[in-house]
Amino acid sequence: MDMKSLYLLIALAPLAGAIIAGLFGWAIGRRAAHVVTIAGVAVSAALSLKVLMGFLSGTAEVFNGPVYTWLTVAGQTYSVGFLVDSLTAMMLVVVTSVSLMVHIYTIGYMHEDPGYQRFFSYISLFTFSMLMLVMSNNFIQLFFGWEAVGLVSYLLIGFWFTRPTAVFANLKAFLVNRVGDFGFLLGIGFVLAYFGGSLNYTDVFAAAPALADKTIEILPGQPWSLMSVTCILLFIGAMGKSAQFPLHVWLPDSMEGPTPISALIHAATMVTAGIFMVSRMSPLFELSDTALNVVMIAGSITALFMGFLGIVQNDIKRVVAYSTLSQLGYMTVALGASAYSAAMFHVMTHAFFKALLFLGAGSVIMGMHHDQDMRNMGGLRKYMPITWITSLLGSLALIGTPFFAGFYSKDSIIEAVLASHLPASGFASFALLAGVFVTAFYSFRMYFLVFHGKERWMEKKHDDHGHGHDEHDHHHGLGPNDKPHESPWVVTLPLVLLAIPSVLIGFFAIEPLLYGSFFKGAIFIDAAHHPVMHELGEEFHGAVAMGLHSLTTLPLWLAISGVALAWFFYMKAPQIPAAIKAKCAPVHALLENKYYLDEIYFAVFAKGSRALGTLFWKFGDILLIDGLVVNGAAKLVGALSGLVRKLQTGFIYTYAATMVIGVLALVSYWILPLVLH
């Protein structure tokens, strides 16, 4: 099989499963629907792993070529094409492997759902869309994949479309991403206009250095750097897709979708599309310190302030969602520090441990009969041992425990920012270090509330006893005679398989990905102006040495402090958090209401656009168009007709008098001037 055919098979195998399950699921049944979709993703995952192994061993060559021509206009050809290099190969394995785990997990989680076949079709279609995005070699195909994952995300967030909350959540995600996509599309427009008329990455990157100092006038008399404007517009697209402040508001509400979606889209793949895109565009971003500072500031705010919101959440999935937002902030800060390889390394490690935490949360929700409130849990360790141990491993990876996957990627980002000389690096360093403590606190607050302490679901059942339980209650909490239970093997097997890379992959991958030649040719860094990764490479002495050195560093002790405080607050002295909440009610209300950003956006954009629409309707449509132009013209004609009609009396003497007056007027006009002259 030639390489083009291999890459086509990687992309199209999930699409084939999606089409079969989506169009013919009613005919082939539930079992066949999940078999064909899992088979398609498994084929794609196996071939992706083969491609990655080729790049790791040095035997694979970069593939960059068209698959078919889509459009030829003005001498330019726009094609669907693939660029498969080491960066693409890593993303292929991340996307397909996590997707495969989610597909298997879904068999158990969605077992009783009437939309079973439709769900499998959607998640396979999502996998295809994501593969097309990461394999693209031009901006047109990138935008196609970009919009396709957004569309399927909309369908999946609103999968339970009979719930009003799900409908509002997917609409919110759709609208917020349109804002980001508008900026992204403008950025692509600037590329098309100024970079030689080609949208192929190779041509654009080749043209970029000559345009590094070019300025344009967006406003008359105000020169702007073309490269800065282009990169910032492209990054606005990443802000929407990767949920960076202030376009982050859609991601927490997207938890209205089924839990497998939270793991697939909002932990491992779609939200990392923006990080991948900026890394792919590194030859452009390296030419603009302004754009890099903007990227760093946006990531810093997201990393710290979204972490604060995780502290006050009681819904288990929303805690993990805010954790995702915070970790995406870390990745974005790394991009701003020109540590693209560290950002992509964290994309990979985060994909595994965050998918593990989401699927672990889903397993807990199943064990609790679909009760998601952590205040109703506690003591689940002895009832759900596999979920407990895998969730603990995922939490340890998340907070950066030495030798776990998250430690190597997260600490590398912190070190890169500390070494950066950009103006924004000072605030970024503070935000990331503070974020370490905050992450450890809310992560282990969740862990202790769910798996340790009193069995609060017993108290809830006691309170509910005697009030009666209908079928709806049974599916949204434990009944009087129910106990939590471990999930079936199709749920626990993906947890175990995801726990392995969550622990090990950082140790084995850090050297080739960050300090080896793995990303050579795929990521460009101007080492003369941004020497961060070069400096870190000089201080790196192996994964073991890095782990041992961390025992004396600030991030580890901040993480330990966060875990210890969470244990003390929620296991030993739960009255303290309650007292703090009462004493700091305004701060708690600010966090509980997510900094009131939803209300601000609603007031400014929803009400503002409605008020603007009302103004255009009443003043423009009713008053100007209908009142003045349409009805005004009719009234004017009517008024003039009324005046003319009065001259038509039907009497001979009136017409005779009119004729005499007319003759006198002509005489006055022609003869009188001659006489006077």
Side-chain angles (χ1 to χ4, degrees), residues 351-363:
F352 292 113
F353 65 71
K354 189 53 63 67
L356 170 61
L357 286 171
F358 265 121
L359 297 185
S363 180

Side-chain angles (χ1 to χ4, degrees), residues 600-612:
I600 292 170
Y601 287 164
F602 182 76
V604 174
F605 295 107
K607 286 188 175 179
S609 58
R610 189 171 178 180
L612 189 63

